[in-house]
């Protein structure tokens, strides 16, 4: 029978002193203290980095190192399947893809054109359901949080909400409950894997969504949310399903329109933009998605 290895506290802490990569690998459970000793021996013998030695020993992968580096630089993301969120949350699972690079470009434009000008809220909307507005809002929320902005995503689609599925928040109270006076702001959920990201899900599906969104207390709620967050993004029902979006636009004051390539008609999105402007909101820009 093999004798179990005895690791002293000094030995277990060695990778932490030797390399922050080693400490993070230990903290995340990627390597054990026993394996850390093996890595340190190889590191010393070959004069290589801790992470490179761990890879050579087959203890971790390049993806593990990439994720640890992201943590070092406060750029959190997840590996496939981690967190239980929707696989369509590309900003969380594929942060170095061309798609997410485009999302970061959109983020930069929104920062310059809207948020850097004293605004905190923005509504993300599309003409028809299935045009990608909800996924755009969710992924934008992640990339804003990765920037270090205190970001809140509010699911104001009180008819067919999706954010509770995207972020695995089923069964929670949400916006409708707050507007009906049945819940407080503790209904806002922190997303564990992204320290700067929170989500207020839709909550109980009400029989009167439009009336709830038109209540004066929604304006007061938005003011409170803006006071505690740098970025507040609203996901809303598609324009074709009713005028709920107008009520949200009047609160957010800014609108990002989402058009789907080869599907959304130009005259429809122009008509939607005109209505938003008449409601007192500014159309900050339009994003075309292709899927």
């Amino acid at each position: 029978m093999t004798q179990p290895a005895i690791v002293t506290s000094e030995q277990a802490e060695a990778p932490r002193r030797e390399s922050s990569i080693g400490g993070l690998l230990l903290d995340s459970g990627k390597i054990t203290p026993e394996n850390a000793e093996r890595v340190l021996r190889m590191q010393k013998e070959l004069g290589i980095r801790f992470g490179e030695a761990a890879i050579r020993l087959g203890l971790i992968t390049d993806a593990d190192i990439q994720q640890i580096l992201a943590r070092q630089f406060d750029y959190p993301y997840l590996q496939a399947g981690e967190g239980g969120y929707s696989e369509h949350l590309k900003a969380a699972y594929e942060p170095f893809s061309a798609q997410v690079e485009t999302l970061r470009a959109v983020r930069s434009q929104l920062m310059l054109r809207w948020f850097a000008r004293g605004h905190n809220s923005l509504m993300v909307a599309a003409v028809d359901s299935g045009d990608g507005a909800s996924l755009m809002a969710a992924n934008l929320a992640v990339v804003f949080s990765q920037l270090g902005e205190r970001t809140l995503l509010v699911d104001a689609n009180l008819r067919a909400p999706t954010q509770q599925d995207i972020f695995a928040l089923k069964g929670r109270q949400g916006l409708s409950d707050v507007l009906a006076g049945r819940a407080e702001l503790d209904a806002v959920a922190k997303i564990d894997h992204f320290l700067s990201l929170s989500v207020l899900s839709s909550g109980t599906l009400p029989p009167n969504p439009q009336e709830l969104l038109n209540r004066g207390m929604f304006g007061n709620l938005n003011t409170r949310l803006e006071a505690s967050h740098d970025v507040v993004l609203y996901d809303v029902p598609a324009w074709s399903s009713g005028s709920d979006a107008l009520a949200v636009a009047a609160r957010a004051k800014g609108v990002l329109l989402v058009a789907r390539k080869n599907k959304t008609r130009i005259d429809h999105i122009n008509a939607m933009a005109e209505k938003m402007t008449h409601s007192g909101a500014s159309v900050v820009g339009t994003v075309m998605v292709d899927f």
Side-chain angles (χ1 to χ4, degrees):
M1 181 176 178
T2 303
Q3 285 292 106
I6 299 174
V7 182
T8 68
S9 59
E10 290 80 5
Q11 290 172 319
E13 287 295 320
R16 299 174 192 269
R17 295 194 300 270
E18 185 71 28
S19 167
S20 57
I21 289 285
L24 289 169
L25 287 169
L26 274 174
D27 291 341
S28 63
K30 299 291 185 182
I31 61 173
T32 64
E34 292 83 358
N35 283 333
E37 287 190 88
R38 296 173 56 202
V39 176
L40 285 170
R41 282 196 294 270
M42 175 177 280
Q43 181 186 18
K44 185 175 181 180
E45 290 170 4
L46 302 181
I48 59 179
R49 294 172 182 258
F50 187 93
E52 184 181 349
I55 290 174
R56 289 196 185 190
L57 288 169
L59 300 174
I60 60 171
T61 65
D62 285 326
D64 293 323
I65 288 294
Q66 197 172 51
Q67 190 174 37
I68 291 299
L69 285 171
R71 286 181 57 188
Q72 276 191 319
F73 289 91
D74 295 323
Y75 188 70
Y77 73 95
L78 307 175
Q79 293 194 21
E82 187 179 359
Y85 309 128
S86 167
E87 63 182 8
H88 298 297
L89 207 57
K90 300 297 184 183
Y93 293 113
E94 300 175 26
F96 309 112
S97 65
Q99 277 181 297
V100 180
E101 188 61 37
T102 301
L103 275 170
R104 285 193 284 270
V106 173
R107 178 190 66 190
S108 296
Q109 289 294 317
L110 292 175
M111 288 295 292
L112 291 170
R113 294 168 178 262
W114 189 246
F115 293 108
R117 298 183 178 183
H119 304 288
N120 292 74
S121 296
L122 182 72
M123 185 182 80
V124 182
V127 173
D128 297 309
S129 60
D131 279 359
S134 294
L135 284 175
M136 174 62 69
N139 280 284
L140 278 176
V142 172
V143 295
F144 271 111
S145 73
Q146 289 170 332
L147 191 63
E149 299 292 306
R150 296 172 300 164
T151 305
L152 173 65
L153 174 61
V154 180
D155 195 341
N157 187 340
L158 305 185
R159 299 175 185 270
T162 58
Q163 300 301 340
Q164 79 274 12
D165 295 321
I166 294 173
F167 288 96
L169 296 172
K170 290 185 177 181
R172 291 185 62 91
Q173 289 185 308
L175 177 62
S176 64
D177 304 288
V178 174
L179 293 177
R182 300 175 58 245
E184 296 296 332
L185 289 186
D186 55 6
V188 173
K190 292 286 292 181
I191 304 303
D192 292 336
H193 294 87
F194 297 91
L195 298 181
S196 298
L197 179 60
S198 300
V199 175
L200 179 59
S201 58
S202 60
T204 308
L205 292 186
N208 57 338
Q210 191 174 125
E211 287 75 16
L212 272 181
L213 294 173
N214 274 296
R215 288 184 179 179
M217 68 181 302
F218 188 14
N220 297 330
L221 173 62
N222 181 66
T223 300
R224 293 171 64 193
L225 296 177
E226 287 186 334
S228 55
H229 298 88
D230 302 309
V231 173
V232 180
L233 299 176
Y234 285 98
D235 179 22
V236 296
W239 176 251
S240 60
S241 67
S243 58
D244 297 17
L246 285 178
V248 181
R251 279 28 177 212
K253 300 299 182 185
V255 181
L256 177 67
L257 301 179
V258 178
R260 185 171 173 184
K261 187 177 181 180
N262 298 326
K263 183 177 182 295
T264 306
R265 291 179 50 175
I266 293 178
D267 57 337
H268 287 175
I269 204 160
N270 284 340
M272 180 180 174
E274 184 178 357
K275 288 287 188 181
M276 294 297 170
T277 302
H278 287 164
S279 74
S282 298
V283 176
V284 181
T286 303
V287 176
M288 181 176 289
V289 297
D290 183 14
F291 58 90

